[in-house]
Amino acid sequence: MPIKAPRLPARLWRCWARGAALKLCTWLAGVAPATADTAVSARFTEPTARYAHGVLGDDIEYGALEIKTSNAATGTLSDQPRNKYSTITIKLPPDRVFEDLEPRLVDVDLDGTDEVIVVESSVHEGAQLAIYDSRGEKIAATPHIGTRFRWLAPIGAADMDSDGSVEIAYIDRPHLAKTLRIWRFADGTLTEIASLPNLTNHRIGEDFISGGLRNCNGTPELILANATWTRIISVSYQNGWTKTDLASFTGPKSLKRALNC
């Protein structure tokens, strides 16, 4: 596969193709204003071809994550607060890469400050979903899938079941297992709370992730394709995790339209 230009840096999480903006995405948990010690932007750096998976359509992954943080301080010319910024860089060891479109800013612990969600892959064990705080520390992660060249495609994050904690959803191996997994972040730990089969959001070589998270009438819904890419499926919590068939899948634009209420 050809090597492409590096992906664009992230600010408040948007859905991107590699090198082109698609739309505003609804990572609903990540809308807190910039306050003391919060991540305000993030981007991948140090492009590398050391992990030759190419699932996103090119040979480039990333060896480092750069997080820009904001710290409130008192101005010297007035009593109004002003922001001071600092940058932290997390460098992965040679056997790991960030295998992702771009970092996502999400307030996973609902404390008013954002953390950073990424897909991190091991050359031995494949992908995991990882959360870094504004100090650059990995505060939680799912287990690696278990073997190299196995990937996961993030969907969205929100309090999906009204329990007061944020749930994070992704598709485990969207080309093989095609399994939706939902993890709850609580007390500094990720716990898997649900898995649903026969769902997907990515096809090999596409430089974007389809579907996402919408919130219509106060109910967060994951918007996905079925395993055969023939139907658009909504998943929401209604006294249990429920799949609803919305419409025919007729291409990527049909999934983007389904994100609108």
Side-chain angles (χ1 to χ4, degrees):
M1 295 181 182
I3 294 177
K4 294 184 181 180
R7 287 155 235 164
L8 297 178
R11 294 204 179 269
L12 285 181
W13 170 240
R14 297 174 183 268
C15 292
W16 297 89
R18 290 193 172 186
L22 289 180
K23 56 181 172 57
L24 181 65
C25 200
T26 46
W27 282 78
L28 300 179
V31 295
T35 57
D37 301 315
T38 187
V40 295
S41 68
R43 64 173 185 165
F44 295 129
T45 61
E46 299 187 11
T48 177
R50 69 190 183 216
Y51 187 62
H53 191 191
V55 71
L56 288 162
D58 61 38
D59 296 327
I60 297 296
E61 304 308 335
Y62 290 89
L65 169 65
E66 184 180 278
I67 302 173
K68 183 178 180 180
T69 62
S70 171
N71 299 283
T74 301
T76 56
L77 298 180
S78 72
D79 292 331
Q80 297 301 313
R82 59 186 175 87
N83 286 329
K84 288 186 176 180
Y85 298 98
S86 59
T87 300
I88 297 168
T89 300
I90 300 99
K91 293 180 180 287
L92 294 179
D95 63 347
R96 294 194 180 210
V97 296
F98 293 108
E99 189 179 16
D100 206 349
L101 294 173
E102 69 172 10
R104 300 151 188 82
L105 300 188
V106 178
D107 182 5
V108 297
D109 54 8
L110 300 178
D111 68 348
T113 63
D114 285 340
E115 288 73 42
V116 181
I117 295 177
V118 295
V119 179
E120 186 175 322
S121 292
S122 159
V123 301
H124 306 294
E125 300 179 288
Q128 67 174 177
L129 184 135
I131 304 172
Y132 286 86
D133 66 16
S134 60
R135 297 169 295 179
E137 295 182 7
K138 186 189 288 189
I139 59 172
T142 65
H144 288 277
I145 288 172
T147 188
R148 64 185 284 130
F149 299 160
R150 296 295 182 265
W151 186 63
L152 63 87
I155 307 165
D159 183 358
M160 294 190 62
D161 56 4
S162 301
D163 69 337
S165 297
V166 169
E167 283 75 45
I168 305 171
Y170 64 76
I171 297 294
D172 176 1
R173 292 160 289 172
H175 324 115
L176 296 171
K178 300 181 180 181
T179 299
L180 167 65
R181 299 196 185 278
I182 302 173
W183 295 72
R184 177 179 293 132
F185 184 85
D187 300 322
T189 301
L190 282 168
T191 303
E192 186 175 5
I193 61 169
S195 64
L196 284 77
N198 302 317
L199 295 166
T200 190
N201 61 347
H202 185 264
R203 291 180 285 197
I204 292 175
E206 289 182 337
D207 60 356
F208 58 91
I209 295 171
S210 297
L213 179 64
R214 74 179 187 182
N215 192 334
C216 301
N217 302 316
T219 301
E221 298 174 80
L222 303 171
I223 304 300
L224 303 162
N226 67 352
T228 58
W229 290 93
T230 56
R231 306 297 300 176
I232 297 173
I233 306 297
S234 163
V235 176
S236 60
Y237 189 84
Q238 302 171 26
N239 296 318
W241 297 100
T242 302
K243 294 197 289 188
T244 303
D245 189 314
L246 297 181
S248 296
F249 173 80
T250 58
K253 290 183 179 179
S254 63
L255 271 169
K256 286 192 281 187
R257 287 193 297 269
L259 288 171
N260 299 320
C261 296

